[in-house]
Amino acid sequence: MSVADVHSEPSRNWLSRGDEPLLIAGPCSAESEEQLEEVAKVLSANGKVHLIRAGVWKPRTRPNSFEGLGAKALPWITRIQSEYGIPFTVEVAKAEHVEQALKAGIKHLWIGARTTVNPFSVQEIADALRGVDIPVFVKNPLNPDLQLWIGAFERLNKTGIDKLVAIHRGFNTYQDHVFRNSPNWEIPIELKTKLPDLEIIVDPSHIGGKRSLLAGVAQKAFDLGFDGLMVETHPNPDKALSDPKQQVSLHGFDAFISQLQTRREGFEDAVSINKLQRLRDLIDEVDYILLEQLAKRNQIVKEIGEYKADSGVAIFQLERWIEILKDRQQYGETGGLDEQLIRDIWKAIHNASIRLQTEIVQKHKLDA
Ligand code: PEP
Ligand code: MN
């Protein structure tokens, strides 16, 4: 099975959410029946939230942290989700969790970062879900390994799960970082490129690790066109039994969400479409000029290659390369171009020239 075979049905089909961003909110952990009831009361009245999260089984990095209440919390969820008419989602890490959650009528499950890293665990969950048509959210693995993340979708898809959503929660780093988990936005963007049908939502709580960072991460998620958010939300965050620093207060949730600006996927009216088209036509023209000039440059590179081959001169000339880079950066600066951009582009151009000239020199040797 190739990556392109992963099939995922958009969540607007199975959550009545139209074009709104998919929103999941709720506490890191289910702590008591009262806590869950208060969360459901406020978030169901808010009307923007599609699913309530609450960790029942909590895989923790170190022992002696709160590991969740386990099956004891399930009957509370069963009652509260039916009473308030808002579905819950819980984290599952093994087959037994899947069975117990399904028995309790929980119809949305998520796989945590500590589980996605282990193909045996993901396979066990996929097997426990065979023949069950429910949505599964998959957080990225702890480490920045896109293949492992994709592998989890493939395993679930193979056992018939096609309501899949990715959750980007950032990646663990050894060094201290502003964020608790480094966002490495290029990884979820690459996932989107590889699996264009898959919706990806962002978990600003586990990326940020601190309340003050959450809004910035959430806004970035919308700016980059991701499909929604999972935000840890607690009635009394500072007293939370797990992740107290990164939860939004339940009563502040509406203000938190309302401050974010969502972006449309494209322009809808004719005037904007025409303007965009005109600008894109201009970009196309400039790109063709760049390509023509690059082809011209290549011809000269070839001529120099022949000359070096004939006269036995080395292909790579350090001084010339340093001089080119410095000169192009200075020239680029007059047009407001960033030094780093010029360095990246000219490195690529210079490497391609070296490759071309190497081929020419080798051919000369063979012909000689
Ligand atoms: C969680 O969602 O509370 C959690 C443990 O997250 P993660 O799997 O992303 O670490
Ligand atoms: Mn958490």
Side-chain angles (χ1 to χ4, degrees), residues 32-41 52 74-86 88:
S32 68
E33 190 164 10
E34 295 67 41
Q35 175 224 30
L36 294 181
E37 181 134 21
E38 193 182 348
V39 167
K41 201 167 166 184
I52 295 180
L74 296 176
W76 307 334
I77 295 180
T78 311
R79 176 183 73 76
I80 294 168
Q81 67 174 5
S82 101
E83 219 165 291
Y84 289 87
I86 185 162
F88 271 64

Side-chain angles (χ1 to χ4, degrees), residues 28 53 58 206 232 243 246:
C28 177
R53 61 154 284 151
K58 305 287 306 169
H206 290 86
E232 286 188 333
D243 291 345
Q246 65 186 39

Side-chain angles (χ1 to χ4, degrees), residues 28 53 58-60 91 110-114 139 142 169 180 203 206 230 232 243 246:
C28 177
R53 61 154 284 151
K58 305 287 306 169
R60 309 305 295 187
E91 174 175 353
W110 96 76
I111 297 178
R114 287 163 192 75
K139 288 200 172 194
L142 294 171
R169 51 76 80 200
R180 176 176 174 192
D203 170 347
H206 290 86
M230 177 190 249
E232 286 188 333
D243 291 345
Q246 65 186 39

Side-chain angles (χ1 to χ4, degrees), residues 9 14 88-90 92 97-99 101-103 105-110 125-126 128-137 156-157 159-165:
E9 192 189 311
W14 44 266
F88 271 64
T89 175
V90 301
V92 289
H97 298 161
V98 173
E99 283 146 22
L102 292 178
K103 223 197 248 160
I106 298 167
K107 297 200 172 71
H108 303 79
L109 304 178
W110 96 76
I125 293 168
L129 283 166
R130 202 178 286 275
V132 183
D133 183 25
I134 63 160
V136 180
F137 296 81
L156 289 157
N157 221 208
T159 54
I161 303 287
D162 66 355
K163 296 179 174 65
L164 292 165
V165 174

